Amino acid sequence: MGRPDRARAAAPRRAMGALAALLCAVVTVTLAAPSAPAATDPGDRKRTVDRKIDNLKDHLEDTSAALSKAYSSLKDTQDKLPAARDALDKARQAAVAADQAEAEATQQLEVAKANESKAQGDLEKATDEVAAGRKRLAQFAAQIYQQQGFGQLDVALSSTEPQDFADRLAMVDTVLDVQNRTMERLSTEQAGLTALEDHLSALRVDSDRKQKAAAAALKRAQAARQAAVQAQADLEALAATQTKAAKGYEDQLAADKKQLASMQAEAARLQKILAARAAAARAKAAAEAKKHPHNGGGGGGGGGGTSNGAGVLSRPVRTGWVSSEFGMRFHPIYHYWKLHSGRDYAVNCGTPVYAAAGGTVISAGWGGGYGNRVVIDHGLERGVGLASTYNHLSRIVVGGGHVSRGQLIAYSGTTGTSTGCHLHFETLENGNFVNPRKWLNTLS
């Protein structure tokens, strides 16, 4: 019994049965289907979990430190799984987008190269045409040179008749007109050739730019695909860790429940002993009352107290604070309502523990899940058999006999089913657990 120190709350027992199968399928099913993005920031999720654990800390009595650790490991992996699935989903989306960008960049590069190739062909054709025009013009000039000029006056003076003179002038005009058109066409072709050269240069710059863009897109796509592969590997590793954590939790839960059963058996055994002692004490008191009818009854091992029992017991430790009160609670790990049968004092291990009242030590030693335990019978108080127990002790000082109020009996610890250093203090009436507040003084 006892309050765990920052213990972890457990997942529902019925969910554990399906957990192993779910985790075995996480690689094939979870990775194949897109998962919903994480609803909150991982830091916010952690703070939420921490708050829940803080709220449950008073409900984790009778939970071993090993079970608390196993559950903590399980919760850690459970809390990481949504973020890991979200990271994988985002990595896959990024890889798809990067592949699409690479395809588009590659297509644009192919178009740019096609345009460059066409412009190169047009330039070569224009270059050939200019070369051919220049060749024709050169041939024409050579012919004129070989004929020692072709001036209009020379042609005209060489004629012998008026009609021949007119015909020769018309022929000269035609030849000169052809020459002029040839030179104009050559000039136009030369200008077009220059424009084609400039266009080809621009297309080459564009092709180079798109070549670099395609290479960068390919690099990003490769990185995105690698990130997706890594994200999948991370999720698979986390799923394996989750499976292992779930198995460890299940094993420890079974061991913890076995220990809890031993605690319940010990509680039942103690109840019978105390009930029998109380009955014997009442019978003895009744016999004494018959012998001495004028004497008041009711005195016990502890003595004193008010009419309702308050103040009969003193605080068992002189430091620390009350971390958990007596009462019924729904246990988040075992999943049933059970009684937190005492009061927990948050103290360090090794804190002195004192007898709450005078009485007889009827048990001092190992109590299973209770750890090292001392039980003191205080005799009859207000007509009931009163007893107190001190649990999870690190060391016991008294092993039996009578003790006085305030006498050192042990030192606090975390033995047995306990998640941290504290003193679990109980009171019993006729063997039945009752709220210690009923018997403690108001300052306790």
Side-chain angles (χ1 to χ4, degrees):
M1 312 264 307
R3 171 197 176 270
D5 187 16
R6 312 289 296 179
R8 298 284 184 180
R13 179 70 173 91
R14 57 180 176 275
M16 286 297 134
L19 183 58
L22 173 63
L23 292 173
C24 290
V26 71
V27 174
T28 56
V29 178
T30 304
L31 299 182
S35 55
T40 58
D41 177 74
D44 291 338
R45 285 200 301 272
K46 183 180 184 304
R47 285 188 288 273
T48 299
V49 171
D50 288 343
R51 282 195 298 271
K52 289 180 179 179
I53 291 171
D54 287 339
N55 292 336
L56 287 168
K57 64 184 180 181
D58 291 342
H59 298 265
L60 286 171
E61 72 282 355
D62 305 335
T63 303
S64 70
L67 179 59
S68 177
K69 183 178 179 181
Y71 175 69
S72 176
S73 176
L74 178 62
K75 281 297 295 177
D76 283 345
T77 54
Q78 284 177 334
D79 293 339
K80 290 175 183 176
L81 278 173
R85 294 191 185 104
D86 184 50
L88 175 59
D89 186 55
K90 289 180 179 178
R92 282 177 168 172
Q93 292 175 1
V96 171
D99 286 340
Q100 291 176 344
E102 181 200 356
E104 292 174 1
T106 302
Q107 186 178 20
Q108 290 176 357
L109 176 61
E110 291 174 353
V111 171
K113 286 184 176 179
N115 290 337
E116 181 184 346
S117 178
K118 182 178 181 302
Q120 180 69 38
D122 292 343
L123 178 61
E124 291 173 356
K125 181 179 178 182
T127 300
D128 291 343
E129 289 177 353
V130 169
R134 285 175 176 172
K135 183 177 181 181
R136 288 194 300 270
L137 187 60
Q139 290 173 347
F140 185 72
Q143 184 179 3
I144 292 176
Y145 177 78
Q146 290 172 1
Q147 294 177 359
Q148 298 179 354
F150 202 65
Q152 288 178 306
L153 183 59
D154 292 337
V155 174
L157 291 178
S158 65
S159 62
T160 56
E161 294 181 2
Q163 183 60 44
D164 185 40
F165 177 77
D167 291 341
R168 285 174 178 260
L169 284 178
M171 183 187 68
V172 169
D173 288 339
T174 299
V175 171
L176 291 176
D177 185 52
V178 170
Q179 180 183 6
N180 289 335
R181 286 200 301 273
T182 300
M183 294 183 67
E184 289 176 357
R185 184 170 64 253
L186 181 60
S187 177
T188 300
E189 289 172 351
Q190 182 64 49
L193 179 62
T194 302
L196 283 173
E197 288 175 342
D198 292 341
H199 180 57
L200 179 58
S201 296
L203 287 176
R204 283 174 177 166
V205 171
D206 185 54
S207 294
D208 183 64
R209 179 177 61 81
K210 289 179 178 176
Q211 176 75 40
K212 292 178 180 178
L218 175 60
K219 186 176 180 179
R220 288 192 296 270
Q222 290 172 339
R225 286 193 291 269
Q226 182 59 39
V229 170
Q230 185 61 49
Q232 178 169 329
D234 291 344
L235 183 55
E236 289 174 355
L238 187 60
T241 301
Q242 172 81 329
T243 302
K244 183 178 179 181
K247 179 64 168 58
Y249 173 80
E250 285 287 345
D251 291 345
Q252 189 55 51
L253 180 62
D256 217 55
K257 284 193 171 182
K258 184 177 181 180
Q259 193 171 34
L260 177 61
S262 72
M263 291 174 65
Q264 292 170 336
E266 171 63 18
R269 186 188 71 84
L270 178 63
Q271 182 181 24
K272 290 180 180 179
I273 293 173
L274 291 175
R277 289 177 67 92
R282 283 195 299 271
K284 182 178 179 181
E288 288 293 329
K290 286 183 180 179
K291 289 180 181 180
H292 309 285
H294 299 294
N295 292 338
T306 62
S307 60
N308 63 1
V312 170
L313 301 180
S314 301
R315 181 184 173 98
V317 289
R318 295 171 184 172
T319 60
W321 49 282
V322 178
S323 58
S324 186
E325 291 283 5
F326 177 94
M328 293 297 296
R329 293 170 190 167
F330 184 78
H331 200 286
I333 295 180
Y334 304 137
H335 262 257
Y336 60 80
W337 287 93
K338 71 178 298 293
L339 177 68
H340 181 232
S341 55
R343 197 182 204 201
D344 291 343
Y345 290 91
V347 292
N348 295 327
C349 286
T351 299
V353 177
Y354 305 97
T360 302
V361 176
I362 63 171
S363 176
W366 184 253
Y370 290 103
N372 293 323
R373 187 186 204 199
V374 172
V375 179
I376 300 176
D377 180 9
H378 302 293
L380 288 180
E381 290 287 347
R382 305 292 180 254
V384 298
L386 178 64
S388 60
T389 75
Y390 311 77
N391 306 275
H392 308 303
L393 305 169
S394 61
R395 184 162 64 94
I396 297 174
V397 175
V398 297
H402 181 81
V403 293
S404 302
R405 179 191 301 272
Q407 181 178 336
L408 177 67
I409 59 173
Y411 293 92
S412 63
T414 183
T415 56
T417 304
S418 166
T419 58
C421 298
H422 71 291
L423 172 68
H424 179 68
F425 176 71
E426 299 170 327
T427 56
L428 301 93
E429 294 180 1
N430 301 326
N432 297 309
F433 293 110
V434 294
N435 193 338
R437 280 182 175 273
K438 178 178 179 181
W439 293 95
L440 287 164
N441 63 53
T442 56
L443 299 179
S444 298

